Structures are given as C-alpha cells and as structure tokens.
Amino acid sequence: MKTEKISFSRRVLLGAAGAALAVFAGLGAAAPARAQNAVVPVEQLMAPPALPDVWLGPADAPVTIVEYASMTCSHCAAFHATTFPALKSKYVDTGKARFVLREFPLDPLATAAFMLARCSGDDKRNAVVDLLFSQQKNWAFTDKPVEALATLLKQTGMGQEAFEACLKNQDLYNNVNKVRDQASKDFGVSATPTFFFNGKKQSGELSPEALDKLMEPLLSKG
C-alpha cells in the first residue's frame, strides 16, 4: 500500500504519519540479521513488551506462538481468514498452544488501527483485531480510511468521542511503536507476518498444512 495516497481527515494522524514513517525508516539498519528458522531465546521473546500481551490459550501450553502483524498487511489478513481458525480450534482450544498477536505496524494507518483495538479494552482487543482483518479492504484501501474505521468501530460500541480520544493518545501511540521497534532490533523482525514457535522464527503467511508441519515436531517432544 502506498501511504502517500491516503488522505487522513484527522490532524492527529497527519502529525503521527511523519513520525511513524521516520521511525520505521530506520529500523532496517538497526535490526540484527536473523535468518528464517533462527531461534530467539524464549525468555528474551517473552520479556514483557511495552504493551501487555493479550493471550489466547493456557499459560502452560507446550507450544507458545507469537505473531508480529500489521493491520494493513494483506498477508496477515489472509492468515487470519484461512489458517488462524484452524490454529485456534486445533491447537489453542485444545490446550496444545498459547497464541499472542503483537503489534508491528508498517504504516501510520496500521498504528491507528492497533491503537483502536487497544482502546477497546483487553476483553475486546482480539475481537476488534479479527474484525479489522476481516474488513480490511473496506477501511485500509479506501480514500477515507479514518472515516471508515470510525464507522466500523461503532459496531463494537465505540462512539466518535472515544474514537478521536484514542487516536490522540500519545502514550499509546508511543507504546505501539515500541513493541514494533523491539521486535525489529531484538528479534530481527522486518516483515509481516512473522511468527515465533517456541522461539523459532518463521516468516511469511502460513497455510494450515504448513502450520501442522511446524507444530508436529514441537508437540512430539512433549
């Protein structure tokens, strides 16, 4: 997506856009080289990020899956439409895996979307993320994305006043970007989606079949 074609109607997002792009432009040089299948120490990966994780699945599950995603990433949306339901029903709901999605916005609009999901509260955050992914083409790739987001968030009970207050929350904005910055600098994340299965890095969209191949050896160890 070419962010220069997006017309933001909120002054706060116009200001945030330049800051977010400037920060993201410098990530590549700071990130350590971590190849596909590189392993990040689990204790390092699981250190508390700038925003608290909102987990699905039991804390004692044998497999911990961390996904770094961007709300405007079409491959992330495809994963959540085609593979995530199988991941949840086959592995999370059965206690075999614990899953968390962490913020890695690739542009200011993705940052805004993540902020809105966080402002919805921990109990609604994952549901809002699911909603935004399922409706991605209706807000991320339109001429008036902010208005489209406001309309969509009304379905979750968020009014216009709360919507605008959320997007002006500088601390939240900073923390969303801190999560992304840490992933880039410490874990070598440079694209979305990027997954870590018990610390083992896997980049790119995963099919249900690819997911099963990754999970089988991890579960057989137990």
Side-chain angles (χ1 to χ4, degrees), residues 36 65 67 74-88 90-91 99 193-195 197 202-216:
Q36 182 83 309
I65 304 171
E67 177 191 6
S74 58
H75 292 290
C76 300
F79 168 79
H80 278 264
T82 61
T83 304
F84 181 73
L87 185 157
K88 187 175 184 300
K90 190 172 183 179
Y91 298 111
F99 173 87
T194 293
F195 302 88
F197 289 78
Q202 183 73 35
S203 299
E205 182 185 338
L206 294 175
S207 66
E209 294 76 18
L211 173 67
D212 289 340
K213 289 181 180 179
L214 288 167
M215 291 294 293
E216 182 177 352

Side-chain angles (χ1 to χ4, degrees), residues 162-180:
F163 177 89
E164 295 189 6
C166 179
L167 295 184
K168 293 176 183 177
N169 187 329
Q170 187 66 42
D171 287 341
L172 178 57
Y173 169 82
N174 291 340
N175 284 332
V176 168
N177 288 320
K178 284 179 182 178
V179 173
R180 180 199 60 201

